[in-house]
Amino acid sequence: MAEQGRTGGAAAAPEHVLVVFPGYHRPWATWIAQRLESHGLRTTLQRWDPPREVPLEDSFGDLLLARGQVLLVLNDWFFELGPRPAGEWNDVLRGFVAAHADRFAAVNLTNRPLLPATAVLEPVSLWGVGEDEAEARLLSRLALEPRRPVGRRPLPGTLARYPDTPPEIWGEVPRRNPRFTGRDDLLAELQQRLMDADRGNAACTLLGMSGIGKTQIAAEYAHRFSPDYDVVWWVNSDDRNVQRDRFGELAAELGLPAGNEPGERIRAVREALRRGDPHAKWLVVFDGWDDTEGAGVLLPHGPGHVLITSRNRGWAEHTEIVEVPSFDRAESTGYLMRRAPHISGPEADEVAAEFGDVPLPLVQAAAWLGESGMEVPEYLRMVREGRLSTVDEPTGGDGFPNASLTSWSILINRLRRAQPQAVEILSLCASFAPGRIPLGIVRAYPQAELPEELRWMATDLPAWTRALDTLVNYSVLTRESRGPVTSTEMGPHQESVHMHRLVHDIVARLTDGPHRADHRKAVRTLLAEADPGNPMDSRQWPRYAELLPHLEPSGALTSRNPRIQNAVLNCLRYCYRSGEFTAGVRLAEKIRTSWTGFMDPLSQPLLDLTTQEGNVLRASGRFREAYQLDHALQQRLRLASPPDELAIMLCNGAIASDLRHLGQYTEAEALQREVLDEAQRLLGETEFVTLVARYNLGVGLRLLGRYQEAYDLDVETLARRETVLRPRHANTLNSSIACAQDLRLLGHYRDALARQESTFRMHVQLLGPLHPQTLKARAQLALCRRREGGSQQDIGALMSSVLDQLEQVHGRGHYVTLSFVNDYGNYLREHGDLAQARDLIAEAESGYRSLLGPAHPFATGMLANTGLVMQASGERADAMAMLEASLAGLTASLGPDHPWVLGCALNAAAARNFNGRVADATELSRETLRRARHVLGNDHPLTLSCQIALAADLRGLREVEEAGKVEEDALLTLTRTLGAQHPHTLSARQRNRPYWDFEAYV
């Protein structure tokens, strides 16, 4: 088809179309090009931003160098390119473009009026129409008849989404900035890097100083390339708790079966993103993520893309780095002239130079010039000569130009005169933390005691709206959206704003004055009003995550108001209940530093603080610190007169927990019995605290190896919890896990597995598959299945999966994870993978030594597992030394009759036999069997293992007759109790030497 001009009728359809667009409209240009190519045309995309120093007619002439039709993608933004005066555009349209009208066509993407001379392009409107109609109008404008698509069929997933159709999931991306300027090359580089990255590693970090425009670039990327994604999710990352909560909210949007616990939701989201199910084309933006410590827990991998904004160069270890420079001079002047059309090019250049081409101060300068209409010489004179009257001029930080600080003071002084209510909002915002500010709580809680000068905020909605609009117009604040734009707008009481941390710092200094203390008091009062009052309810955790960052800057941590103190404690309880242990420890330390300066050490708030601080310390594995904290309180309580019996009882319960974790099992059990007796006396048999004390006593008995006593107590506690709490309460389910664990340790493997399978199913139903307590139940299920003797291949896959999930929940070095690292290492050793088993057991042993010290029973017991790996590897002499050390160490700390000591003795006897010390082995085996029968009974699997071991040693001494009788009796009992096909029974029949694995109970 040859090119033809218009000849009195419809123009001939072109073979080639040059699609010309401003970078802002790349999604539309991509969609147009794909639609045209599907109808047999060749297309070329041309991003166009004609330099201001080049005559506009020449720039249009350059477009005609391409063959075929030139299709302009228009809206009102198109005519701000350059920028140039409207008259220049009209002149070129009426002249040059009109003379070549046969070569130019246009589509229009807006319902706002365009320049009058645009009529020469006969633009067809695509605004507000559906995809099919838009395609029909496009084809009609280019004189193309609709036809069946031709050419190579695009690969699945490569078709661009119609730009007016948003992604299926669109989460809290900042509203698109209609004044976004330049950065086209950087955005194109960013897209290229993400697209070219290997699957699972498509992550880039926009790196630069504060105020350089990282957030704006990330938001523009999300909007500009949204047709490439099915999911776009924005995560404010200034505060770790807000970040985790926001990322976890994606679980509900993806329809994942996760509960309300943040860690559980995060793990579910990461797994879904990794699989690309239900969506493979996803983009997650972490805005303001400066701490790389949590990268391993949060950073998703998979077929989608991750974009991070940060000032921390440490992200180079995890992602690709894209440096964000200042504006180039053309971008600076272009932005200034669009926002303030009355200034000339040379004036814009002078302003850009004054502010070093740094976007944030340029935005404020442009807003000032555009809103005030002030002439540039006068403005620059004020910036260069002006001095602050009430505070010392702050110095710039993080590369921020000093001149801009004066410009902020000019703006605020003007607002004080023209819009004082806007300054009052600013001053109030300065009493929150920077970043996301839940400003709507001012209107949500009108009963709060606001200072007189702020009461208008709760009652005068028009004034509130005007003041916020003014601040947004001057680019001091940005409004935050909680999702895609819908027909239902947020009410003012739900409104959140975002204040850049650098702007926050400047505003805080410039608005500081006699009212600051009152404003901080107002904010902490509002935070207390916004406290949901129930940190145990996981549905309220998002609210607590939102309030938490603002406690310290508002002065809530130093408040003497009981209501505010309770709100602070509820935020700490939230940290513990939601698994945010690190944040909880930091918050508790800050609260204690503040409160000890003015509170009685035995006041109720400090007692409650100690309880919660101890909880988060123990949950973090910091057992010695928890003990020191609780012990210090115990000493104070003992000296108090009159004694506070309830406080003493609760403190003793905490100390008993500390002692158990520290390996002092006998002392912990004695103290826990006292606590239970006191709880029953003070509160009664069925009170919640009493039931917790009963449960903890069962834990202590189990650690002492008194499995039958533990089981009897746990069964009774379970029954009481089912009656008092309900069968499906989380604490009731925890008691059910304890009963199954007791049964397994007693050797009743089938009963233990049957109970634990039922318990695990109920955990999944009630708490979700990835809740920490569900993972505890799943770990116990894996151990029950291993002992019951099911399919070993299935058990191996289950244990590997549980370990992965525990690592995601707690981290690799956490004591709960270390326990299962050890268990999985034992399994792998038993099934021949000695290399990995050695690595895992060494990791667990080293971890527990570091965490608890070398003398702790866990660290000592794990020497037995190390010895077994050595023995299986043929290192018999070294294995014997290790196994004997484990036996001696546990005997010294636990006594000769503890089941762990009996297991170590079983292993040590085998090592003696293998090293030729058969008589010594026989002597140890006889003594161990005697003790096992006394402690565990004749039918326990460990007792029967000791019996099989003794038979082997007797055969080594040629005591064949006695060996036969001992072995036959053991085999009959094993067959009766475990079954003929159980692995223990089969192994004994094959005369394999039995062994014992050490397990750290947690």
Side-chain angles (χ1 to χ4, degrees):
M1 187 187 307
E3 295 178 22
Q4 298 180 16
R6 299 185 187 180
T7 54
E15 285 185 335
H16 175 264
V17 177
L18 181 70
V19 182
V20 178
F21 64 97
Y24 197 78
H25 285 311
R26 178 178 291 275
W28 276 103
T30 303
W31 177 83
I32 288 169
Q34 284 197 354
R35 292 296 83 212
L36 293 179
E37 288 175 356
S38 73
H39 289 273
L41 277 74
R42 291 184 302 108
T43 65
T44 302
L45 292 178
Q46 172 94 13
R47 175 169 58 83
W48 200 54
D49 189 1
R52 193 173 67 252
E53 61 272 14
V54 176
L56 188 56
E57 182 173 314
D58 291 353
S59 295
F60 268 104
D62 289 342
L63 296 178
L64 294 183
L65 295 175
R67 298 177 62 190
Q69 197 87 7
V70 178
L71 180 68
L72 305 179
V73 180
L74 303 182
N75 74 340
D76 47 338
W77 171 260
F78 188 93
F79 299 104
E80 293 190 17
L81 295 174
R84 300 170 187 272
E88 185 176 352
W89 281 101
N90 279 325
D91 289 345
V92 173
L93 289 170
R94 293 181 182 125
F96 181 85
V97 174
H100 299 85
D102 58 319
R103 296 287 306 281
F104 287 99
V107 295
N108 179 18
L109 305 179
T110 181
N111 67 336
R112 291 187 290 271
L114 301 180
L115 295 176
T118 310
V120 71
L121 295 167
E122 299 180 12
V124 61
S125 177
L126 304 187
W127 183 83
V129 301
E131 183 170 15
D132 291 342
E133 176 63 17
E135 182 173 355
R137 293 185 182 188
L138 172 67
L139 297 178
S140 174
R141 177 63 185 87
L142 295 174
L144 285 171
E145 291 294 332
R147 66 176 95 167
R148 179 176 298 177
V150 297
R152 187 170 61 182
R153 184 182 300 274
L155 294 173
T158 62
L159 281 174
R161 180 188 291 105
Y162 184 57
D164 271 357
T165 305
E168 292 188 37
I169 297 174
W170 179 260
E172 215 166 302
V173 180
R175 296 174 184 176
R176 195 172 193 184
N177 181 2
R179 300 187 179 100
F180 185 85
T181 291
R183 305 295 200 179
D184 287 323
D185 291 336
L186 191 149
L187 287 164
E189 176 191 355
L190 190 57
Q191 186 205 32
Q192 197 63 47
R193 289 211 199 182
L194 290 172
M195 292 296 183
D196 291 347
D198 296 335
R199 177 189 166 99
N201 294 302
C204 284
T205 296
L206 290 169
L207 184 70
M209 68 180 188
S210 289
I212 205 67
K214 302 182 294 294
T215 297
Q216 285 292 317
I217 294 169
E220 176 62 20
Y221 181 92
H223 285 280
R224 185 171 296 192
F225 297 104
S226 62
D228 296 340
Y229 300 101
D230 296 323
V231 176
V232 178
W233 198 253
W234 188 277
V235 181
N236 288 317
S237 301
D238 290 327
D239 179 84
R240 182 175 182 271
N241 291 293
V242 173
Q243 177 194 44
R244 286 171 55 82
D245 183 75
R246 177 62 189 151
F247 185 57
E249 287 178 8
L250 182 53
E253 298 293 332
L254 293 172
L256 304 180
N260 289 319
E261 191 271 322
E264 175 188 347
R265 295 198 305 259
I266 288 168
R267 293 183 291 278
V269 168
R270 291 185 78 212
E271 178 62 18
L273 297 180
R274 184 189 66 78
R275 295 194 316 267
D277 180 19
H279 298 288
K281 296 193 297 182
W282 50 262
L283 170 68
V284 178
V285 183
F286 294 95
D287 182 38
W289 193 358
D290 287 333
D291 183 2
T292 62
E293 184 179 347
V297 176
L298 279 182
L299 195 63
H301 301 276
H305 298 163
V306 175
L307 184 56
I308 297 167
T309 72
S310 182
R311 298 174 298 171
N312 186 348
R313 197 166 289 279
W315 280 110
E317 298 179 14
H318 306 277
T319 69
E320 287 227 33
I321 294 294
V322 177
E323 299 270 2
V324 179
S326 297
F327 275 155
D328 63 37
R329 184 54 52 85
E331 290 173 330
S332 297
T333 58
Y335 182 83
L336 286 162
M337 293 173 71
R338 290 186 190 101
R339 191 74 190 271
H342 68 284
I343 70 176
S344 67
E347 288 174 332
D349 189 82
E350 192 175 2
V351 173
E354 186 71 29
F355 294 104
D357 294 299
V358 178
L360 183 62
L362 278 174
V363 166
Q364 193 274 319
W368 168 268
L369 289 166
E371 292 290 328
S372 69
M374 182 179 285
E375 295 300 326
V376 168
E378 175 65 11
Y379 174 70
L380 289 178
R381 185 189 63 77
M382 292 176 64
V383 168
R384 292 164 181 165
E385 299 177 3
R387 288 293 177 263
L388 306 180
S389 58
T390 56
V391 295
D392 293 336
E393 181 169 4
T395 57
D398 200 16
F400 201 69
N402 279 304
S404 69
L405 301 170
T406 306
S407 73
W408 281 98
S409 72
I410 294 169
L411 169 62
I412 291 174
N413 285 333
R414 172 174 174 145
L415 289 176
R416 281 196 178 101
R417 293 190 301 270
Q419 180 66 280
Q421 290 171 322
V423 178
E424 288 168 1
I425 288 182
L426 269 186
S427 179
L428 191 67
C429 287
S431 296
F432 287 89
R436 182 182 184 141
I437 298 174
L439 197 56
I441 62 176
V442 178
R443 296 193 57 80
Y445 302 101
Q447 71 274 20
E449 296 179 5
L450 295 176
E452 185 175 353
E453 72 274 10
L454 299 184
R455 289 175 191 166
W456 65 269
M457 296 183 185
T459 57
D460 191 343
L461 179 57
W464 167 270
T465 304
R466 282 194 305 274
L468 274 182
D469 287 345
T470 298
L471 295 172
V472 170
N473 289 339
Y474 277 108
S475 301
V476 183
L477 302 175
T478 56
R479 281 192 171 94
E480 292 210 332
S481 56
R482 292 290 295 177
V485 176
T486 64
S487 58
T488 305
E489 291 293 328
M490 289 188 307
H493 64 286
Q494 299 170 297
E495 203 155 23
S496 290
V497 297
H498 190 277
M499 180 180 274
H500 192 284
R501 63 166 64 88
L502 207 50
V503 175
H504 182 276
D505 180 56
I506 294 168
V507 167
R509 301 188 205 187
L510 298 179
T511 61
D512 197 9
H515 296 301
R516 176 53 53 81
D518 290 339
H519 291 185
R520 294 179 77 222
K521 180 180 178 182
V523 169
R524 57 182 177 261
T525 302
L526 288 165
L527 295 176
E529 291 287 345
D531 172 16
N534 187 7
M536 295 182 69
D537 185 349
S538 57
R539 293 170 298 182
Q540 304 297 341
W541 290 347
R543 174 55 110 179
Y544 282 110
E546 189 174 46
L547 301 180
L548 191 61
H550 306 290
L551 295 179
E552 189 172 13
S554 70
L557 302 187
T558 58
S559 174
R560 303 189 181 211
N561 184 316
R563 175 141 189 203
I564 295 172
Q565 292 169 357
N566 189 60
V568 168
L569 285 174
N570 277 341
C571 286
L572 180 57
R573 293 182 180 102
Y574 147 74
C575 291
Y576 174 60
R577 290 289 175 180
S578 65
E580 300 292 345
F581 304 136
T582 303
V585 169
R586 287 199 298 262
L587 177 60
E589 290 172 349
K590 290 178 180 178
I591 299 171
R592 182 168 296 281
T593 299
S594 297
W595 286 6
T596 51
F598 63 87
M599 276 191 194
D600 186 306
L602 299 183
S603 63
Q604 192 59 49
L606 268 175
L607 293 177
D608 292 341
L609 171 62
T610 300
T611 298
Q612 298 307 320
E613 188 173 5
N615 286 340
V616 293
L617 285 170
R618 278 190 295 277
S620 302
R622 295 164 64 170
F623 307 125
R624 290 188 183 87
E625 293 173 65
Y627 174 76
Q628 291 166 0
L629 179 72
D630 295 328
H631 182 69
L633 176 59
Q634 184 189 55
Q635 297 301 105
R636 291 193 189 96
L637 288 169
R638 285 176 174 172
L639 297 175
S641 180
D644 186 335
E645 293 181 312
L646 181 59
I648 292 171
M649 183 267 291
L650 292 173
C651 181
N652 286 342
I655 290 175
S657 293
D658 300 330
L659 292 173
R660 279 194 298 275
H661 284 295
L662 292 171
Q664 300 177 40
Y665 302 140
T666 302
E667 298 90 333
E669 188 250 350
L671 183 57
Q672 189 65 52
R673 286 194 182 277
E674 292 180 19
V675 170
L676 178 57
D677 290 343
E678 281 295 285
Q680 290 171 335
R681 182 179 69 83
L682 294 172
L683 304 172
E685 295 280 352
T686 59
E687 177 62 33
F688 186 89
V689 171
T690 306
L691 294 176
V692 170
R694 291 179 64 84
Y695 172 85
N696 286 336
L697 179 57
V699 174
L701 292 170
R702 189 159 49 249
L703 287 166
L704 285 167
R706 291 153 61 177
Y707 302 142
Q708 189 62 53
E709 289 181 67
Y711 177 68
D712 293 341
L713 182 63
D714 286 335
V715 167
E716 186 178 350
T717 304
L718 174 61
R720 293 189 182 191
R721 281 181 162 174
E722 287 177 336
T723 300
V724 175
L725 300 178
R726 68 180 187 277
R728 298 162 71 86
H729 190 279
N731 286 32
T732 306
L733 296 181
N734 215 16
S735 282
S736 189
I737 296 175
C739 289
Q741 187 175 13
D742 295 334
L743 287 169
R744 178 172 60 82
L745 295 173
L746 285 167
H748 304 321
Y749 298 146
R750 290 174 189 160
D751 293 341
L753 178 59
R755 173 178 284 280
Q756 191 57 24
E757 284 180 332
S758 172
T759 299
F760 174 66
R761 285 195 298 271
M762 196 169 293
H763 271 86
V764 173
Q765 292 171 8
L766 296 179
L767 301 178
L770 295 174
H771 190 280
Q773 189 170 310
T774 304
L775 289 183
K776 175 184 175 182
R778 193 174 185 219
Q780 195 60 227
L781 177 64
L783 297 176
C784 287
R785 284 184 177 168
R786 182 186 175 207
R787 291 303 176 206
E788 195 273 337
S791 168
Q792 295 304 303
Q793 185 174 1
D794 292 345
I795 293 168
L798 173 60
M799 295 188 79
S800 176
S801 172
V802 171
L803 180 55
D804 287 344
Q805 292 172 340
L806 286 170
E807 183 177 358
Q808 290 180 33
V809 176
H810 300 293
R812 189 75 175 187
H814 192 274
Y815 70 99
V816 172
T817 310
L818 289 174
S819 173
F820 206 78
V821 166
N822 171 67
D823 295 334
Y824 188 40
N826 287 335
Y827 168 85
L828 292 174
R829 186 211 72 244
E830 185 177 58
H831 293 277
D833 190 346
L834 297 182
Q836 188 178 0
R838 186 187 293 265
D839 290 343
L840 290 176
I841 290 170
E843 178 187 348
E845 179 191 339
S846 173
Y848 270 120
R849 279 179 180 274
S850 174
L851 187 66
L852 301 169
H856 192 282
F858 285 4
T860 307
M862 284 187 183
L863 296 176
N865 296 335
T866 303
L868 291 176
V869 174
M870 291 178 170
Q871 192 162 269
S873 301
E875 306 165 39
R876 291 189 170 181
D878 290 340
M880 184 171 71
M882 191 69 70
L883 294 169
E884 293 282 6
S886 178
L887 174 60
L890 282 182
T891 302
S893 60
L894 301 177
D897 292 336
H898 195 290
W900 294 351
V901 175
L902 300 177
C904 283
L906 174 70
N907 293 335
R912 293 178 185 182
N913 186 306
F914 293 154
N915 281 275
R917 294 170 51 186
V918 182
D920 290 344
T922 305
E923 180 182 356
L924 180 57
S925 290
R926 282 191 189 279
E927 178 63 15
T928 304
L929 176 59
R930 184 186 68 79
R931 291 183 182 277
R933 283 172 169 164
H934 172 72
V935 173
L936 299 171
N938 293 337
D939 295 349
H940 193 280
L942 179 54
T943 304
L944 296 173
S945 291
C946 292
Q947 200 168 334
I948 294 293
L950 176 60
D953 291 332
L954 290 170
R955 279 196 300 274
L957 292 176
R958 306 283 198 281
E959 301 286 346
V960 179
E961 184 176 354
E962 183 182 1
K965 291 179 180 178
V966 170
E967 183 179 64
E968 182 180 5
D969 178 64
L971 287 172
L972 287 172
T973 308
L974 279 169
T975 302
R976 174 172 54 82
T977 56
L978 299 182
Q981 299 303 310
H982 191 278
H984 287 0
T985 308
L986 295 175
S987 181
R989 288 194 182 281
Q990 295 165 4
R991 289 187 172 174
N992 294 320
R993 183 88 190 201
Y995 55 82
W996 172 82
D997 294 333
F998 176 78
E999 173 192 335
Y1001 311 146
V1002 295

